Amino acid sequence: MAEGDAGSDQRQNEEIEAMAAIYGEEWCVIDDCAKIFCIRISDDIDDPKWTLCLQVMLPNEYPGTAPPIYQLNAPWLKGQERADLSNSLEEIYIQNIGESILYLWVEKIRDVLIQKSQLTEPGPDVKKKTEEEDVECEDDVILTCQPENPLKALDLDTSENQTEIEELPPIDHGIPITDRRSTFQAHLAPVVCPKQVKMVLSKLYENKKIASATHNIYAYRIYCEDKQTFLQDCEDDGETAAGGRLLHLMEILNVRNVMVVVSRWYGGILLGPDRFKHINNCARNILVEKNYTNSPEESSKALGKNKKVKKDKKRSEH
């Protein structure tokens, strides 16, 4: 396999894993080898009025130089309405050539369905997913901090962000996921400079349970307003390629000024690829819960304008 093909294949796999984590049962694998997938999209998950199935095939050249091959399936989608939606998807591709765009496509279609629902039924509003009121901090897995625990070494250059306020940001902890005796838990903190990344890791490692985790995978993205670029990086902590997958999920969701750490406590049973699914699900859940995910329009604009990405440090190799 040529080096370019290998790079495209890796990016495709990372995007597929991220999409599966984001959409769960709505995402369906038709043919894994041929990279054919289908996603069921509706205007409202709990009470759908309009539904459409998007089928995509990812050519070897995607996302570098070719778009996904797609088909829109819905009995009501005809004529000008179909042409308008197809044009919208192709416009998103043109604005983001070389980028992963499946998430933007799905959310664009969902927006069209929501608008259609509101136009055809102007009375009741479409239910919005803003049910965050009953979310409480889960700290049954998080133990009392123990300052005597060591901090794993982290070499971060903070010279570019000396003007930022270097305070320890608040840290939130997600609901743990357990599968075959392995437990995964995400931790999230807002960060605006690499110094804060180090501070958050230091604080987390004061916790005996977190410090004893088999892996503490993390990724962060910091948006530099003055340069209109992202400062971002990730760490596998021994779980090969997990940090890159986590960062890719954060890129697709277009989150900024946030870091996510996913702790894994290994239970003695190998999980295979499922471990990456759990890592991404943990991360996605806490990012959604804390309202870090953008609307698809904001994501599309940001991906189009802010393609420059600066690596903070050389990635560790495992």
Side-chain angles (χ1 to χ4, degrees), residues 15-29:
E15 183 176 20
I16 290 162
E17 288 168 4
M19 294 293 287
I22 293 167
Y23 294 110
E25 292 180 357
E26 293 179 302
W27 175 263
C28 176
V29 178

Side-chain angles (χ1 to χ4, degrees), residues 2-19:
E3 186 177 340
D5 291 342
S8 292
D9 196 52
Q10 181 181 346
R11 290 184 66 188
Q12 286 184 15
N13 288 337
E14 289 176 352
E15 183 176 20
I16 290 162
E17 288 168 4
M19 294 293 287

Side-chain angles (χ1 to χ4, degrees), residues 34-307:
K35 298 285 179 68
I36 301 174
F37 307 93
C38 182
I39 182 162
R40 184 175 178 274
I41 310 161
S42 57
D43 58 326
D44 187 284
I45 292 173
D46 297 323
D47 184 22
K49 298 179 183 67
W50 297 96
T51 300
L52 182 151
C53 288
L54 170 68
Q55 185 171 309
V56 293
M57 184 179 76
L58 306 183
N60 292 335
E61 298 81 11
Y62 173 78
T65 57
I69 299 165
Y70 70 94
Q71 184 173 330
L72 301 168
N73 299 321
W76 52 265
L77 187 66
K78 297 173 183 175
Q80 191 60 43
E81 205 168 16
R82 177 182 287 275
D84 289 345
L85 184 53
S86 295
N87 288 339
S88 295
L89 300 187
E90 283 153 25
E91 186 178 341
I92 288 173
Y93 169 70
I94 290 167
Q95 289 173 349
N96 300 283
I97 289 176
E99 304 292 331
S100 301
I101 59 167
L102 293 183
Y103 173 78
L104 296 178
W105 273 12
V106 171
E107 291 306 314
K108 176 61 182 177
I109 293 169
R110 196 185 307 280
D111 265 9
V112 169
L113 297 181
I114 289 171
Q115 289 170 19
K116 185 175 177 64
S117 176
Q118 290 170 334
L119 288 172
T120 53
E121 293 188 26
D125 290 337
V126 175
K127 286 189 287 185
K128 300 290 192 296
K129 295 180 206 171
T130 55
E131 296 151 6
E132 302 288 345
E133 297 83 18
D134 58 345
V135 175
E136 295 180 2
C137 180
E138 296 282 339
D139 44 20
D140 54 332
V141 171
I142 303 303
L143 307 178
T144 306
C145 292
Q146 303 292 332
E148 67 270 18
N149 271 279
L151 166 66
K152 290 190 179 181
L154 175 69
D155 179 24
L156 287 175
D157 176 19
T158 62
S159 57
E160 291 187 12
N161 291 275
Q162 290 297 333
T163 57
E164 301 287 357
I165 300 171
E166 294 175 355
E167 296 179 351
L168 176 67
I171 303 172
D172 289 296
H173 309 285
I175 298 172
I177 294 174
T178 300
D179 178 14
R180 285 164 281 177
R181 298 202 302 235
S182 276
T183 298
F184 302 79
Q185 186 176 31
H187 322 282
L188 177 149
V191 292
V192 294
C193 63
K195 176 71 172 177
Q196 287 185 319
V197 173
K198 185 174 181 180
M199 293 169 74
V200 169
L201 290 170
S202 179
K203 186 65 178 177
L204 286 173
Y205 274 106
E206 289 177 3
N207 181 297
K208 280 185 177 181
K209 187 169 184 67
I210 294 173
S212 68
T214 314
H215 310 288
N216 282 299
I217 303 120
Y218 73 83
Y220 65 88
R221 302 188 82 214
I222 298 168
Y223 185 61
C224 307
E225 291 282 355
D226 54 340
K227 299 176 183 175
Q228 292 196 333
T229 59
F230 279 95
L231 185 67
Q232 62 183 40
D233 205 1
C234 58
E235 171 59 48
D236 296 335
D237 193 28
E239 185 70 284
T240 305
R245 287 172 159 89
L246 176 58
L247 181 59
H248 189 73
L249 173 72
M250 294 172 72
E251 288 174 336
I252 287 177
L253 294 174
N254 194 39
V255 299
R256 59 177 64 191
N257 299 332
V258 64
M259 74 174 296
V260 176
V261 182
V262 178
S263 303
R264 180 196 181 181
W265 293 270
Y266 178 59
I269 300 172
L270 294 173
L271 301 187
D274 282 351
R275 67 191 190 277
F276 298 121
K277 178 181 72 176
H278 295 321
I279 291 166
N280 272 2
N281 279 335
C282 277
R284 184 247 178 196
N285 288 345
I286 199 167
L287 285 166
V288 170
E289 179 187 327
K290 299 303 172 185
N291 295 314
Y292 274 91
T293 53
N294 284 334
S295 70
E297 290 85 357
E298 290 170 329
S299 297
S300 181
K301 287 176 186 174
L303 279 173
K305 291 179 182 176
N306 304 314
K307 292 186 182 178

